Amino acid sequence: MSRCHYSFIVGFFLVFLSPFAFASEIAGGRIDLTASTIGYLCLAVFVLAYVLVIAEEPLGLSKSKPVLLAAGVIWILIAIYYAIHGYDSIVEDALRHNLLEYSELLLFLLVAMTYISSLEERKMFDWLRVWLVSRGLGYRQLFWVTGVLAFFISPIADNLTTALVMCAVILAVGGENKQFTSLACINIVVAANAGGAFSPFGDITTLMVWQKGLVQFTQFLDLFLPSVVNYIIPAFIMSFFVPTEKPVLAEGDGNVEMKRGAKRIVVLFLATIVTAILCHTLLHLPPVFGMMTGLAYLQFFGYFLKKTLPKSLERKRKNYKDNPVKLQSLNHIVPFNIFSHIQRAEWDTLMFFYGVVMCVGGLGFLGYLGLASEVMYNQWNPLYANIAVGVLSAIVDNIPVMFAVLSMNPDMVLGQWLLVTLTAGVGGSLLSIGSAAGVALMGQAHGKYTFFSHLKWAPVIALGYIASILCHLWINGNLF
């Protein structure tokens, strides 16, 4: 490239990216670009990307694509501007900081997803579905059973996985009964989000708060009763509109058996969670360190399953010698391979988190999060700001909202941090697009659970949202 062309390009960026920026104050090496062309451009790129994320289902465009591109564009524009003004290293340090935050989140979730994938392959969740269906429960009973199970499973298995498993049960027993399926799916979304709010493992937002060290593991339990209130109120009202008849069992249900090692993998998963908790609480190590150690538990157990598979098959062939169908099925058994489960992780979701973390980090670097923090947490009462965070999470999704709050890092007492954790977690239940669980179920129960079927019950869900906040302010008043 000639020197003339180079000078033209540099001159172009100086003119296009610099308006208003030359008058900005430099604090800590960073330039306030909130009122500059580059700031407005980056903000527009993020908004456009998130509009595409919201329109994921009708467009058929996976949610990771727009935010990945937006993250790249935002940081490239920032890097060009700072390079022109001679502050290259500042951008590099900020970018590495955001990458470190994402890497901890990535590895943590990757271990959890690997365990969940292993349990799915061992048919643990299929067995649970068949066990529930074979109980002969009515629609109203199944409404409550699936909701309560979603509430108590999501603190361990995360709200997205829990919602998908419970939705499989609903679809298996609901058949063409759209009224039951729709109400049961809404109930599952509310229950999974509420259950995930009082555990670091229940939602990405609670995980981020815990990894930041703002709330200790046992302190999340202070949100248990508010979470119960958030679920029970809308569930109680909706239950009166659930049909009372019993579903007809599908042919073939009852033939599912868990594969060898399924129960032991559950124990190892719990041991992994305990390891992460102890490493963080007692040794002050990042939780991801304990999770990666727990991955080794599963790797060694997978080695054990692989080495003992021949003896296991030989024993089963003797037991199944009078059952040709089961004997034939043994020919399709393959050794347990942990890396195949790592491959089956929700990579679109993991890449989406990368895009969100980097986009929000870029906007924070430009100064927008500081501006928002000044308005919300200095000009407003933090109580109202944290309630607004929950309402906003119903529209924008709670992950970028919570990451933005954590990046602002407002000076708040424990009660307020628990409040924003609660509102960001359960606020996504107000709309079907407000949480990963709701978006996933719209795809899984396509045509039966929709945006508008959920919207119809938004006032009822809002009652639970308000009541859970009041419950938190009442029982945890000493934390404020």
Side-chain angles (χ1 to χ4, degrees), residues 295-311:
L295 184 61
Y297 304 162
L298 185 59
Q299 286 183 312
F300 274 99
F301 183 64
Y303 175 79
F304 168 78
L305 289 177
K306 182 178 180 179
K307 287 296 183 181
T308 57
L309 180 61
K311 290 184 178 180

Side-chain angles (χ1 to χ4, degrees), residues 196-277:
F198 67 89
S199 165
F201 300 92
D203 195 358
I204 303 302
T205 55
T206 56
L207 174 60
M208 290 191 294
V209 172
W210 184 47
Q211 288 196 142
K212 277 280 189 179
L214 297 166
V215 179
Q216 299 305 312
F217 185 86
T218 54
Q219 292 171 334
F220 282 97
L221 296 177
D222 291 325
L223 293 177
F224 177 74
L225 285 180
S227 297
V228 171
V229 170
N230 180 269
Y231 164 62
I232 285 293
I233 289 179
F236 178 75
I237 296 173
M238 288 190 295
S239 67
F240 290 103
F241 298 87
V242 177
T244 56
E245 63 264 24
K246 290 186 177 182
V248 178
L249 293 179
E251 185 178 352
D253 274 346
N255 295 325
V256 175
E257 292 183 6
M258 285 186 287
K259 292 184 180 180
R260 190 170 67 104
K263 295 178 182 178
R264 283 172 284 182
I265 291 177
V266 172
V267 174
L268 291 176
F269 191 20
L270 294 175
T272 298
I273 293 173
V274 171
T275 302
I277 295 170

